[in-house]
Amino acid sequence: MTESEIQLKAIAALTALRGGVAQDYVSDLLGEVIPTRFLVPDTDDAMEVGAAVLSQLTGPVSALVRGFILAFETVADAFDEAEAGEPTEQILQALALEIASDTD
């Protein structure tokens, strides 16, 4: 799967959630970007095997995160241009404070 295809999965997942699609479907959609098979070295060294698996996961997960960020930035820019109230930075700061106070 290409980086663009993975980014499209992230955008599709966000669109589906906002559209009221079941979370199981969205989880399955995002799960499609994670490899189901890994090439691992023929070794007894657990660190080496772990590093091989991690390196194969890094690309798809990074592309997925970039897709989420791209989607967020696009929506945030449109929101801010509409001057619908608080700028997105203030909304995010309020969310961060809320999360921080919930963890105490």
Side-chain angles (χ1 to χ4, degrees):
M1 189 173 291
T2 68
E3 182 170 329
S4 294
E5 291 170 329
I6 293 171
Q7 289 177 345
L8 288 172
K9 294 278 186 185
I11 294 167
L14 291 171
T15 304
L17 283 174
R18 294 294 299 168
V21 173
Q23 289 184 359
D24 290 346
Y25 173 79
V26 174
S27 293
D28 291 344
L29 182 68
L30 294 176
E32 293 174 8
V33 306
I34 304 301
T36 57
R37 293 178 182 244
F38 298 93
L39 297 174
V40 295
D42 185 16
T43 179
D44 291 333
D45 185 356
M47 296 269 300
E48 193 174 339
V49 170
V53 170
L54 182 61
S55 72
Q56 293 169 63
L57 282 172
T58 301
V61 171
S62 293
L64 194 60
V65 169
R66 282 191 293 276
F68 286 131
I69 290 170
L70 176 62
F72 170 77
E73 288 178 337
T74 302
V75 171
D77 287 346
F79 179 83
D80 287 343
E81 286 176 13
E83 298 182 43
E86 292 181 281
T88 54
E89 291 86 357
Q90 287 180 345
I91 295 169
L92 291 171
Q93 288 171 351
L95 176 60
L97 290 171
E98 182 181 320
I99 291 170
S101 68
D102 287 346
T103 59
D104 292 339

